[in-house]
Amino acid sequence: MRVVFIGPPGAGKGTQAARIVDRLQIPHISTGDMFRAAVKAGTPLGKEADGYMKSGKLVPDSLTIAMLRERIAEPDAKRGFLLDGFPRTVPQADALDAALRADDMKIDVVLLVEVPDELIVARIVGRRSDPDTGRIYHLTFDPPPPELAGRLVHRKDDTEEACRTRLGAYHSQTAPLVPYYESHGVLRRVDGVGEPADVTTRIMGALGL
Ligand code: ADP
Ligand code: ADP
């Protein structure tokens, strides 16, 4: 199964993706995680992406598309994948379609995780992640165990200011993907508000699982 998650920053895409790939046994491909790994490793791609990410802007399509195409050509992606955070622009969606079509493949479902803007900043500024396990926590909504406090990471772009830029980028550049995928007949909407376990149940239902 080839699934795409779309939603504003902080909608819960990463949290839910981890649960879904566990059940479906497909790779979780997060372009945000890939860019952060490149920044950490100090690669040329990471150096180029860093400035955009820190300020909350999208990394240019040319870099993002090239990175994603390479990733979905890996052998583990042949049996399906869950894309989290890609595509985020119409040119990215067109490039994805073209790359898949060349191999006689297509996206099966695009899940739009809906969370109203007024809940987003609180979710983003309280986000922390465990670099050892990749587990995502929230200081209030999903508090980490106290013994992990010393190693948790607070992303540089999880400030209120960068979050507002990211929300703006979502509405202007990513939201056009909703009518795009609706017209392809693959869009499903899921309410992302409520307990994470309830959101997982809704997503599984929307995937027909
Ligand atoms: P995204 O990948 O869409 O940016 P995350 O999965 O990283 O979002 O979630 C953003 C923050 O919100 C994290 O701190 C996470 O713990 C928290 N979160 C995720 N799902 C929920 C939920 N259903 N209710 C409240 N907080 C949530
Ligand atoms: P979130 O879902 O919490 O907004 P991500 O981890 O998906 O964050 O992305 C973090 C940052 O990485 C984005 O703000 C952007 O700078 C960059 N990025 C990730 N995916 C893409 C993409 N598909 N196109 C352009 N930039 C991206």
Side-chain angles (χ1 to χ4, degrees):
M1 189 176 225
R2 282 175 289 275
V3 183
V4 167
F5 273 13
I6 294 182
K13 302 180 298 293
T15 302
Q16 296 299 331
R19 295 166 177 233
I20 301 299
V21 296
D22 224 40
R23 300 205 197 168
L24 295 184
Q25 293 294 303
I26 51 176
H28 173 192
I29 301 180
S30 156
T31 42
D33 285 349
M34 292 171 77
F35 280 132
R36 279 184 289 279
V39 169
K40 199 167 168 200
T43 65
L45 174 68
K47 289 193 174 116
E48 186 135 16
D50 195 28
Y52 295 101
M53 295 174 75
K54 267 194 206 133
S55 63
K57 292 189 188 136
L58 293 185
V59 177
D61 282 341
S62 54
L63 295 176
T64 309
I65 290 167
M67 177 179 79
L68 192 276
R69 286 175 87 133
E70 252 181 51
R71 179 62 188 89
I72 61 173
E74 297 279 325
D76 68 333
K78 289 294 166 220
R79 64 176 189 278
F81 47 71
L82 191 166
L83 296 184
D84 163 11
F86 185 100
R88 256 173 156 102
T89 64
V90 170
Q92 290 182 14
D94 282 334
L96 175 63
D97 263 9
L100 292 176
R101 209 176 319 120
D103 283 335
D104 242 350
M105 297 190 298
K106 62 176 181 49
I107 294 297
D108 299 301
V109 182
V110 176
L111 265 171
L112 172 64
V113 184
E114 297 185 292
V115 173
D117 281 9
E118 55 272 23
L119 299 184
I120 293 297
V121 174
R123 282 199 186 188
I124 289 285
V125 299
R127 170 162 55 190
R128 299 291 184 276
S129 57
D130 182 341
D132 292 2
T133 61
R135 166 79 155 86
I136 301 163
Y137 294 95
H138 190 284
L139 294 179
T140 312
F141 308 138
D142 185 9
E147 62 273 19
L148 295 187
R151 72 174 196 225
L152 294 180
V153 173
H154 183 196
R155 277 167 50 178
K156 279 186 274 189
D157 59 343
D158 276 352
T159 60
E160 182 162 349
E161 196 193 351
C163 173
R164 296 209 182 275
T165 307
R166 282 153 68 202
L167 257 182
Y170 175 74
H171 288 297
S172 61
Q173 293 171 273
T174 307
L177 293 179
V178 173
Y180 177 100
Y181 282 123
E182 236 161 11
S183 73
H184 287 58
V186 289
L187 190 85
R188 309 249 199 292
R189 294 168 189 265
V190 169
D191 181 5
V193 181
E195 286 300 319
D198 294 337
V199 179
T200 308
T201 305
R202 287 175 211 145
I203 291 176
M204 295 302 278
L207 294 176
L209 300 167

